[in-house]
Amino acid sequence: MTTEFRVPSDVLDALRRYDRVLIAAHARPDGDAMGSCLALAWALRSIGIDAHVFNEDGVPGYLRFLSLPGPVLTSVDQLPCEPQLIVVLDCGDRARVGEALQPLMDRVPTVDIDHHLANPNFGTAANWVEPSASATGELVGLIAEALRAPLHGALGEALYVALSSDTGNFSYGNTTPGALRLAARLVEEGVDIASLREKLENNWSEAKLRLWGRLMGETRILESGKLAAALITRGLLAETGASREDSEGFVEQLRRLSGVRVALLLREDEKDGTLLTKASLRSSGDDNVRDTAARFGGGGHRNAAGATIHLDAEKSLDAMLPFIRSVWDKRL
Ligand code: 5GP
Ligand code: MN
């Protein structure tokens, strides 16, 4: 296992060269995507760079306790001025940033910093892709150290959220010694992990509790127990009063069932009036769900991947089944 990464000099040079920097991550951001963006913005601001964070979906509700270095922009119209550099974090491909930013990315230099497999190094100014990094936050932590940004306060909290989110509280196989060392540094710097855990985990709404109860009850155990699949239809969201965000983390529960090799959560969504389904896949060890997600235009990591499918949840399950079987039946 790699124990330490080094920030490439062209990445550091690009970050230090410009006064106005825009930082973006994938739409529908998770803890690593948003935590990394906020931490990098704090770090760049600490050395006098005018850094802003962009995400077309804004900050998810469960992360709104984090202190922001400025408003998180949700539309390019809100940009105070044209950035000189765009740093894209935690995006396996450039399309995941969302459509709104694509024209700006065509004309402004970009730096791509990420840990997804098969990231094509889409940055035009510099790239730093480390698939064995536990989180993009691990790489941003090294950047913050290289820039001599203080790791306490809001920056430290954002980094901790990024690391703990992608490592399942430092317990998944992707947890590197570097992530643990960074977490130790954050604690030394005064980051209060018990208080963060309280804000991150012990804040459920009743609707979320009811949704998880329904999902537990209705989970389908398929393929002789090797696949556990849960479907979140628009109807189920309406009945429970839960939001899409309330399903965040549920797929991990499906992996707990003994004998399950692939956990699948299918959540219906709507974009521009079209029904689609967001698939989240989880596995363990050598079982590769990234290849399954890639068959549907998605991606991710070997044991955690996702894709968007232009079908309802039920039909998405039918479409995915043959490719899920290939995880254990290599002949397919
Ligand atoms: P989640 O299931 O939590 O949404 O995502 C699991 C992993 O797969 C994350 O690393 C995420 O970035 C990646 N992922 C999720 N959806 C997509 C997708 O539509 N395309 C790609 N390339 N990666 C995805
Ligand atoms: Mn990540």
Side-chain angles (χ1 to χ4, degrees):
M1 182 185 279
T2 309
T3 56
E4 201 60 271
F5 306 110
R6 285 180 70 87
V7 189
S9 55
D10 59 344
V11 169
L12 269 186
D13 289 347
L15 292 176
R16 288 190 178 117
R17 189 174 310 141
Y18 301 103
D19 298 324
R20 298 190 310 275
V21 175
L22 189 64
I23 302 166
H26 59 80
R28 298 260 154 123
D30 57 13
D32 186 30
M34 188 48 68
S36 295
C37 285
L38 297 177
L40 184 60
W42 284 114
L44 293 179
R45 282 177 174 229
S46 78
I47 57 165
I49 292 170
D50 185 22
H52 290 269
V53 175
F54 175 92
N55 196 290
E56 58 182 39
D57 293 312
V59 183
Y62 64 96
L63 295 179
R64 294 224 176 105
F65 67 88
L66 287 168
S67 302
L68 305 181
V72 170
L73 312 177
T74 54
S75 137
V76 283
D77 303 335
Q78 297 165 345
L79 280 169
C81 53
E82 175 115 344
Q84 296 160 308
L85 182 74
I86 301 177
V87 184
V88 181
L89 300 175
D90 204 39
C91 278
D93 59 67
R94 99 171 228 182
R96 292 202 72 210
V97 184
E99 277 162 32
L101 211 58
Q102 299 296 327
L104 199 58
M105 287 175 68
D106 287 336
R107 53 176 200 269
V108 174
T110 51
V111 176
D112 163 23
I113 301 171
D114 182 38
H115 69 135
H116 288 93
L117 280 170
N119 181 307
N121 290 296
F122 58 83
T124 56
N127 291 278
W128 187 21
V129 178
E130 299 279 9
S132 56
S134 56
T136 300
E138 184 178 348
L139 307 179
V140 171
L142 294 172
I143 292 172
E145 284 180 329
L147 297 176
R148 310 221 181 288
L151 296 187
H152 54 65
L155 194 167
E157 293 198 351
L159 277 184
Y160 185 85
V161 165
L163 291 177
S164 66
S165 159
D166 264 24
T167 59
N169 284 322
F170 306 95
S171 67
Y172 298 156
N174 66 357
T175 310
T176 58
L180 292 164
R181 267 196 295 272
L182 178 56
R185 274 257 354 242
L186 296 175
V187 176
E188 282 166 355
E189 295 285 341
V191 170
D192 181 348
I193 58 177
S195 140
L196 283 176
R197 182 182 167 80
E198 201 58 39
K199 291 174 192 156
L200 278 168
E201 317 250 358
N202 300 346
N203 60 358
W204 286 22
S205 62
E206 183 180 341
K208 177 165 177 171
L209 190 84
R210 303 287 172 217
L211 173 71
W212 283 44
R214 287 282 300 271
L215 291 173
M216 288 269 184
E218 292 166 22
T219 290
R220 301 184 198 179
I221 299 168
L222 308 168
E223 302 293 311
S224 313
K226 289 195 281 293
L227 170 65
L231 280 60
I232 306 182
T233 58
R234 288 163 303 168
L236 180 57
L237 288 176
E239 280 169 45
T240 54
S243 69
R244 291 190 169 78
E245 246 173 66
D246 287 333
S247 67
E248 194 73 38
F250 184 78
V251 68
E252 309 297 347
Q253 304 306 313
L254 299 178
R255 191 156 54 161
R256 303 174 82 131
L257 195 61
S258 177
V260 162
R261 291 176 61 176
V262 173
L264 172 66
L265 182 70
L266 294 165
R267 188 189 65 203
E268 289 181 354
D269 205 340
E270 220 174 274
K271 189 155 196 223
D272 305 326
T274 314
L275 173 69
L276 45 82
T277 294
K278 172 78 195 9
S280 283
L281 292 137
R282 297 292 186 271
S283 65
S284 303
D286 291 336
D287 286 343
N288 183 335
V289 287
R290 197 205 81 90
D291 288 354
T292 306
R295 295 280 194 156
F296 295 87
H301 312 281
R302 188 179 60 207
N303 297 143
T308 298
I309 300 168
H310 291 267
L311 295 169
D312 67 19
E314 198 68 55
K315 292 201 178 76
S316 298
L317 176 60
D318 292 342
M320 293 189 86
L321 260 178
F323 300 103
I324 290 172
R325 268 181 212 126
S326 71
V327 170
W328 44 82
D329 188 354
K330 307 284 184 222
R331 288 167 303 160
L332 287 174

